[in-house]
């Protein structure tokens, strides 16, 4: 009769790891490596995978299976006693050698599963003894019938003298995650978008998905949980729920006691990135590129970083936990410094990119660079706008957004634009900078005009631009009005007046002409060209008769042609002076 000792029951609704089961079983057959080490952070399903493999090999492959848990076991001798007890043997004076003898004496092919070995591995001296124990066991000619699976949160210490399989678990993919959540919540029908969104927010961590399912079964609304998961993944684990509390403590213990300090520091630093990041990106917070590469190799070995087509990614739950842990472990200053470096780098990148956008033959490169770094740029902007101090940092962030209005209006969606500039407006009001506030209102009004494709009057644009203009002429000095922001406001408000029609037309054209004169005074060729373009469009679209008596001597046949002629002149002047091309 086959031996099966200590093996837990199969996990219900085991899904998403079927290929891992097949791969590990195949690799342990014949002359292939007879040791498999499954590595992952808490909650990723190491025990469930090892258990599934144990049942599969017991039921279909005619193997005996011995399972022991090494959780909270800090001595090799203690582990040896546990294995002996599983074999129904009384431990003697030297349990380590005794268990080696007993395992070698087994007649039938046997799989030994040692689960959660990290507590033993991290104890000084014991980790090396444990690796040596495994090596001696599997190197023995008398143990050719024996295969071993270890599950752990950290790689084995020391180099083994034989090849073995190392399986780093990744989060479940989107579809199996949604199916698992759907099954666990005992929902009927097909997997809907709600379950897909919730599963995606869980990030594919099986235990996390099970906790969320348990909360839903306990009457928590899926929409409320989704909001928590999206805004702060760790908040779900702070709900009064035993499984959530236990998992939270397990994750904290892993970071605090199991993970090496330099790796924890690296995690805290890269936790500032909202999603994917490359090694080059990470050098913003880990300055030495060589150190960064070494740390990343080790973090991949620990299955804490995952490589993808964009570089590396850190799971949102681990990321959120690293941020919280930094505050509770005396590393708050280090986390703050990393965030400041991140914010400064990517806000500066936006400033450089919007300037590059205006340079000859560089606009496409600028757009490409922005899209490659969009998430990080947005994260840095919102970080700066949310922080309480210093006000200079927030003010500079707002100022860069103002100067980047034309660029951002081209490269981000209307919703993204309105959300960002509304936040900037709130910040300008808080720091009581009316000039900035009026410029931001101008930016918002400009975006409203774009949303209506310049073809019809947008009342939101008119109201917003009028508010901006009123602040400028009633509250700001003449010196503060001598800038592109005021010219932009006046020109766009003029457009709204023209589109209003009637008696507003003449006033609108006057505003556009006055804005053009200010732009000439400022001397920015591209802005002057834009002013001529705006004036021409107003005359052509809404007021063709207003220019009949303004034909300049020696120039084109009518005033509109004259405007277009000047517009082209300044565009070519801009090209000559290496400004943004037409």
């Amino acid at each position: 009769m086959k031996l099966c000792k200590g093996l837990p029951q199969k996990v219900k609704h085991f899904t998403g790891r079927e290929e891992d089961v097949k791969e590990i079983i195949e690799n342990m057959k014949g002359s292939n490596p007879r040791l498999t080490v499954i590595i992952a952070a808490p909650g990723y399903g190491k025990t469930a995978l090892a258990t599934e493999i144990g049942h599969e090999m017991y039921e279909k492959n005619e193997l005996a299976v011995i399972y022991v848990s090494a959780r909270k076991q800090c001595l090799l001798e203690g582990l040896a006693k546990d294995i002996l007890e599983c074999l129904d043997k009384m431990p003697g004076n030297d349990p380590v050698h005794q268990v080696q003898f007993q395992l070698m004496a087994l007649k039938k092919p046997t799989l030994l599963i040692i689960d959660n070995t990290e507590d033993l591995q991290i104890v000084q001296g014991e980790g090396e003894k444990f690796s040596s124990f495994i090596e001696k066991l599997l190197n023995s000619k008398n143990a050719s019938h024996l295969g071993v699976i270890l599950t752990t949160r950290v790689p084995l210490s020391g180099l083994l003298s034989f090849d073995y399989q190392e399986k780093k678990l990744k989060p479940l993919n989107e579809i199996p995650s949604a199916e698992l959540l759907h099954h666990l919540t005992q929902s009927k029908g097909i997997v809907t978008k709600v379950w897909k969104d919730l599963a995606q927010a869980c990030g594919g961590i099986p235990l996390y998905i099970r906790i969320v399912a348990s909360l839903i079964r306990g009457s928590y609304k899926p929409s409320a949980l989704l909001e928590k998961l999206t805004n702060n993944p760790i908040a779900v684990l702070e709900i009064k729920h035993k499984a959530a509390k236990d998992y939270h403590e397990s994750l904290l213990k892993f970071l605090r006691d199991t993970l090496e300090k330099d790796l924890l520091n690296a995690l805290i630093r890269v936790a500032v990135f909202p999603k994917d990041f490359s090694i080059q990106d990470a050098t913003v917070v880990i300055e030495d590129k060589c150190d960064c590469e070494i740390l990343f190799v080790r973090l991949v070995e620990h299955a804490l970083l995952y490589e993808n087509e964009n570089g590396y990614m850190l799971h949102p739950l681990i990321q959120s936990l690293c941020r919280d842990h930094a505050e509770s472990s005396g590393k708050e200053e280090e986390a703050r410094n990393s965030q400041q470096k991140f914010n400064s780098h990517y806000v500066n990148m936006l400033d450089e990119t919007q300037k590059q956008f205006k340079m000859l033959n560089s606009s496409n490169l600028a757009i490409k660079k922005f899209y490659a770094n969009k998430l990080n740029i947005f994260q840095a902007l919102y970080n700066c706008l949310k922080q309480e101090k210093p006000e200079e940092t927030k003010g500079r962030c707002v100022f860069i957004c103002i100067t980047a209005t034309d660029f951002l209006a081209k490269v981000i969606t209307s919703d993204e634009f309105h959300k960002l500039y509304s936040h900037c407006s709130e910040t300008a009001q808080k720091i009581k900078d009316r000039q900035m506030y009026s410029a931001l209102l101008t930016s918002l009004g400009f975006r409203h005009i774009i949303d209506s494709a310049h073809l019809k009057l947008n009342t939101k644009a008119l109201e917003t631009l009028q508010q901006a203009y009123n602040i400028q002429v009633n509250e700001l000095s003449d010196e503060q009005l001598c800038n592109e922001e005021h010219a932009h406001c006046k020109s766009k408000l003029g457009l709204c007046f023209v589109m209003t029609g009637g008696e507003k037309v003449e006033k609108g054209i006057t505003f556009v002409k006055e804005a053009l004169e200010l732009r000439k005074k400022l001397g920015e060729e591209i802005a002057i060209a834009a002013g001529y373009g705006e004036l021409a469009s107003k005359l052509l679209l809404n007021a063709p008769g207003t220019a009949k008596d303004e034909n300049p001597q020696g120039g084109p046949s009518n005033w509109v042609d004259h405007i277009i002629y000047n517009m082209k002149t300044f565009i070519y002047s801009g090209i000559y002076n290496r400004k943004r091309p037409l």
Side-chain angles (χ1 to χ4, degrees):
M1 186 175 176
K2 290 182 292 181
L3 178 72
C4 185
K5 290 284 189 176
L7 188 63
Q9 290 184 344
K10 284 186 176 184
V11 174
K12 287 185 178 180
H13 307 301
F14 180 82
T15 185
R17 302 274 190 219
E18 293 83 0
E19 290 303 314
D20 293 330
V21 172
K22 290 179 184 177
E23 179 189 342
I24 291 170
I25 290 176
E26 189 62 34
N27 280 333
M28 294 191 73
K29 288 180 180 178
S31 59
N32 288 320
R34 291 179 292 116
L35 171 65
T36 295
V37 183
I38 300 171
I39 305 172
Y44 276 61
K46 299 183 296 295
T47 298
L49 176 58
T51 300
E52 188 74 16
I53 292 169
H55 280 282
E56 189 82 6
M57 297 188 81
Y58 176 72
E59 294 165 7
K60 296 182 181 179
N61 292 56
E62 298 296 320
L63 259 70
V65 177
I66 302 166
Y67 171 96
V68 292
S69 174
R71 178 161 287 165
K72 298 183 180 179
Q73 185 59 262
C74 298
L75 296 173
L76 178 60
E77 188 174 297
L79 174 63
K81 289 178 180 179
D82 290 342
I83 298 173
L84 287 168
E85 288 177 10
C86 198
L87 292 168
D88 297 323
K89 302 295 181 182
M90 183 69 70
N93 294 329
D94 189 350
V96 175
H97 283 93
Q98 184 184 356
V99 79
Q100 285 176 330
F101 174 79
Q102 291 293 337
L103 290 170
M104 291 175 193
L106 294 172
K107 301 295 184 182
K108 291 186 177 181
T110 301
L111 173 65
L112 172 64
I113 300 173
I114 308 178
D115 199 11
N116 301 303
T117 63
E118 60 277 344
D119 289 334
L120 178 60
Q121 289 174 247
I122 63 173
V123 176
Q124 189 172 5
E126 293 299 313
E128 290 76 10
K129 287 181 185 179
F130 176 66
S131 295
S132 178
F133 166 75
I134 296 296
E135 185 167 28
K136 286 179 182 177
L137 186 63
L138 292 178
N139 261 341
S140 172
K141 294 179 181 179
N142 297 325
S144 59
H145 62 285
L146 187 66
V148 177
I149 290 178
L150 307 178
T151 75
T152 178
R153 299 171 184 176
V154 296
L156 286 178
S157 58
L159 296 173
L160 300 183
S161 59
F162 56 87
D163 291 333
Y164 64 94
Q165 182 186 14
E166 198 172 67
K167 185 66 180 177
K168 303 176 185 72
L169 292 191
K170 294 183 178 181
L172 299 179
N173 292 329
E174 182 180 338
I175 293 175
S177 294
E179 289 175 349
L180 176 60
L181 183 62
H182 187 254
H183 286 310
L184 292 170
T185 51
Q186 301 169 354
S187 302
K188 297 179 181 180
I190 61 172
V191 178
T192 62
K193 187 176 184 299
V194 174
W195 306 119
K196 289 179 181 178
D197 290 344
L198 274 168
Q200 187 175 13
C202 289
I205 298 181
L207 181 55
Y208 200 27
I209 293 171
R210 291 176 183 277
I211 289 168
V212 168
S214 176
L215 291 169
I216 291 172
R217 291 198 307 271
S219 76
Y220 274 90
K221 290 183 178 180
S223 57
L225 279 173
L226 180 59
E227 186 177 353
K228 277 183 177 290
L229 285 164
T230 304
N231 295 333
N232 182 13
I234 207 69
V236 173
L237 300 184
E238 293 168 350
I239 294 172
K240 291 183 179 179
H241 182 277
K242 186 178 186 307
K245 181 181 177 183
D246 290 346
Y247 185 39
H248 193 189
E249 290 176 355
S250 176
L251 285 168
L252 283 173
K253 182 179 184 298
F254 170 62
L255 291 178
R256 184 177 61 245
D257 302 332
T258 305
L259 200 62
E260 295 158 83
K261 300 305 178 188
D262 60 337
L263 293 184
L264 176 57
N265 290 341
L267 281 181
I268 288 172
R269 290 181 182 183
V270 298
V272 299
F273 289 93
K275 199 175 179 183
D276 305 326
F277 50 89
S278 65
I279 287 180
Q280 187 61 43
D281 294 331
T283 56
V284 173
V285 292
I286 304 173
E287 293 176 4
D288 190 302
K289 187 174 181 180
C290 184
D291 286 349
C292 187
E293 289 173 348
I294 293 169
L295 287 167
F296 276 29
V297 168
R298 291 169 61 201
L299 287 169
V300 169
E301 288 176 351
H302 283 70
L304 288 169
L305 281 187
Y306 300 100
E307 295 182 77
N308 59 23
E309 64 275 11
N310 298 318
Y312 297 86
M313 67 172 291
L314 180 64
H315 192 281
L317 181 60
I318 301 296
Q319 178 189 52
S320 179
L321 198 67
C322 284
R323 290 173 179 171
D324 284 4
H325 183 70
E327 296 175 4
S328 62
S329 63
K331 296 185 180 295
E332 191 174 1
E333 186 67 28
E334 183 168 353
R336 189 184 300 111
N337 289 339
S338 296
Q339 180 131 89
Q340 287 173 352
K341 289 178 182 178
F342 174 87
N343 294 346
S344 176
H345 178 80
Y346 284 102
V347 170
N348 286 340
M349 181 181 287
L350 174 60
D351 191 28
E352 293 162 5
T353 306
Q354 66 92 12
K355 289 175 180 174
Q356 183 184 17
F357 179 70
K358 300 173 183 177
M359 300 297 290
L360 178 64
N361 298 329
S362 297
S363 56
N364 288 336
L365 290 174
I367 292 170
K368 186 176 179 180
K369 183 177 180 180
F370 174 82
Y371 283 136
N373 295 278
K374 180 180 174 180
L375 280 176
N376 293 335
I377 289 171
F378 264 65
Q379 185 69 52
L381 291 172
Y382 283 116
N383 287 346
C384 291
L385 294 173
K386 284 189 297 184
Q387 66 186 22
E388 293 299 322
K389 294 180 180 179
E391 288 190 354
E392 301 82 45
T393 302
K394 291 195 286 187
R396 182 171 181 276
C397 174
V398 171
F399 175 75
I400 289 173
C401 285
I402 292 169
T403 59
T405 294
D406 286 344
F407 174 62
L408 289 176
K410 183 178 181 66
V411 296
I412 65 178
T413 67
S414 177
D415 287 344
E416 289 171 335
F417 189 96
H418 284 295
K419 182 180 177 182
L420 174 61
Y421 280 79
S422 294
H423 275 287
C424 288
S425 298
E426 291 170 8
T427 299
Q429 286 182 293
K430 285 178 182 177
I431 62 177
K432 298 179 180 179
D433 191 318
R434 299 294 281 172
Q435 184 175 8
M436 272 190 178
Y437 180 55
S438 69
L440 290 160
L441 289 175
T442 301
S443 298
L444 288 165
F446 170 54
R447 182 69 230 198
H448 283 307
I449 291 174
I450 293 174
D451 293 341
S452 59
H454 290 77
L455 297 176
K456 59 181 180 179
L457 177 65
N458 185 308
T459 55
K460 287 184 178 179
L462 176 60
E463 291 168 3
T464 307
L465 289 165
Q466 185 68 68
Q467 184 184 358
Y469 181 74
N470 290 343
I471 292 172
Q472 291 174 0
V473 297
N474 294 325
E475 300 181 33
L476 305 184
S477 65
D478 291 343
E479 185 179 353
Q480 289 175 308
L481 294 179
C482 191
N483 54 46
E484 170 57 25
E485 286 71 37
H486 180 55
H488 193 203
C489 177
K490 203 163 190 178
S491 184
K492 295 305 178 188
L493 182 56
L495 169 60
C496 290
F497 286 156
V498 170
M499 287 186 170
T500 302
E503 61 184 21
K504 292 283 187 180
V505 171
E506 286 293 344
K507 182 177 181 181
I509 292 175
T510 300
F511 268 40
V512 175
K513 288 180 179 178
E514 289 174 353
L516 175 57
E517 290 305 312
L518 176 55
R519 283 168 165 166
K520 287 180 181 178
K521 182 178 178 182
L522 295 171
E524 174 58 57
E525 288 91 350
I526 296 301
I528 297 170
Y532 274 116
E534 288 169 358
L535 182 54
S537 67
K538 276 62 163 183
L539 291 170
L540 285 169
L541 184 63
N542 287 293
T546 58
K548 61 183 179 181
D549 298 323
E550 301 186 52
N551 183 23
Q553 292 183 357
S557 59
N558 62 66
W559 178 243
V560 173
D561 288 342
H562 173 66
I563 293 170
I564 294 172
Y565 171 81
N566 278 299
M567 178 180 71
K568 291 179 178 178
T569 300
F570 279 100
I571 287 173
Y572 291 131
S573 174
I575 292 174
Y576 181 78
N577 289 299
R578 302 198 63 76
K579 302 295 183 182
R580 180 185 166 194
L582 179 61

